[in-house]
Amino acid sequence: SAAEIVACPFGKLYKREKALEALLQRSRAASGDVSTATLGPHIRGMKDLHPVRFHVVADSSSKDVNLKHKKYVPVCPITGSEIASGNVPLFLIVRLKKKGGGNSANVEVDEAPNVISERAIKEMGIAGLQSEYGPFDEKDIVRLAPPKTGGIFDEIQRNWEAKMAEESESKLRKKKYKKRKRIGDAFKSVSSVSASVTNGPNGTRGDEVRAKKSAADEARSSVHSAVAHSSVLSSLFGAGKKQQSEKEKRDGLFTRNC
């Protein structure tokens, strides 16, 4: 069935079951060399494989009236033209995934055909296709089975590599932003704790510290003043005093004992 077919960003078609098996084999490979795997290195996982659903109708040229033997052919759901010949450029619409799950309307759209012709895109335009096939970005549209000649495939490959480089750069920017934010939050937390210790909840801690410092300064000033006005204290605690003779020491001792 159509739901069993998936396409990679380069437009190559795979059976879903086979693609899953290839991804499992790659993950279990001891060497981890994806270049030798069945799937190309541009397929990182199932997120790079998109479901392909063709719109099929009964072949009008078939004369068989038996429904079991009736032939069906894929057609563009917009123009109605057959697309099985391989000569018509086909495009896969990759809808944007909505976060938080979807409702029944989204499920119905996800099960609807999503392969249209180049002519349909030109006639409807990207904006005109959004109501039925959207939401989607034009850059996410996949050209199915692009020809290797004419530079079409090379352009698709370059666009994909540019997209991957952009996504990688965006992830790096987000990682750096989160790191700077963590450092900034940690700095703010430390600053807040330091301020609370210094100032207290209402500045009381800071007042206490300043009050104690003022009292200590006042006591120290009183001691210095007392020492300066007392010859006895000056002789005991004074700094930078000259060396006394034996006679001066005896006289000073006599003076203090009187």
Side-chain angles (χ1 to χ4, degrees), residues 170-181:
S170 176
K171 289 180 181 179
L172 183 60
R173 286 197 301 268
K174 289 180 180 179
K175 186 177 180 180
K176 288 182 177 179
Y177 171 77
K178 289 181 179 180
K179 184 177 181 180
R180 288 196 299 267
K181 190 175 185 300

Side-chain angles (χ1 to χ4, degrees), residues 64 132 167:
D64 197 336
E132 186 172 354
E167 287 185 5

Side-chain angles (χ1 to χ4, degrees), residues 11-200:
K12 187 175 181 179
L13 299 176
Y14 302 88
K15 286 188 176 181
R16 182 183 179 85
E17 184 178 353
K18 295 295 183 181
L20 283 171
E21 291 178 0
L23 288 173
L24 289 174
Q25 290 176 1
R26 176 196 291 179
S27 64
R28 294 171 182 172
S31 62
D33 184 8
V34 298
S35 62
T36 59
T38 304
L39 302 177
H42 64 289
I43 302 176
R44 300 163 295 176
M46 288 303 296
K47 64 180 180 180
D48 293 326
L49 294 172
H50 311 291
V52 177
R53 297 180 295 273
F54 290 99
H55 179 59
V56 295
V57 296
D59 186 2
S60 58
S61 62
S62 177
K63 303 299 182 180
D64 197 336
V65 295
N66 190 337
L67 294 178
K68 292 184 178 181
H69 300 90
K70 195 77 172 178
K71 291 183 178 180
Y72 292 86
V73 294
V75 300
C76 174
I78 296 176
T79 64
S81 57
E82 292 188 12
I83 56 178
S85 63
N87 297 323
V88 180
L90 301 179
F91 294 87
L92 172 66
I93 304 296
V94 181
R95 298 180 70 243
L96 296 174
K97 295 181 180 180
K98 293 184 178 181
K99 296 181 179 180
N103 50 35
S104 57
N106 291 330
V107 172
E108 183 178 349
V109 172
D110 288 339
E111 293 178 351
N114 58 358
V115 178
I116 60 177
S117 64
E118 184 179 37
R119 176 185 160 194
I121 296 178
K122 291 180 178 179
E123 290 182 357
M124 298 290 295
I126 299 300
L129 294 169
Q130 294 290 340
S131 59
E132 186 172 354
Y133 297 94
F136 67 90
D137 288 334
E138 184 177 1
K139 63 181 180 180
D140 294 331
I141 297 178
V142 177
R143 169 73 183 269
L144 295 181
K148 295 287 186 178
T149 59
I152 297 177
F153 180 81
D154 293 337
E155 183 181 0
I156 292 173
Q157 191 172 12
R158 285 194 301 270
N159 291 339
W160 173 255
E161 291 172 353
K163 180 180 178 181
M164 291 299 97
E166 182 180 351
E167 287 185 5
S168 178
E169 185 178 351
S170 176
K171 289 180 181 179
L172 183 60
R173 286 197 301 268
K174 289 180 180 179
K175 186 177 180 180
K176 288 182 177 179
Y177 171 77
K178 289 181 179 180
K179 184 177 181 180
R180 288 196 299 267
K181 190 175 185 300
R182 286 197 302 268
I183 295 175
D185 292 343
F187 178 78
K188 289 179 181 179
S189 178
V190 171
S191 299
S192 176
V193 171
S194 177
S196 65
V197 170
T198 303
N199 300 321

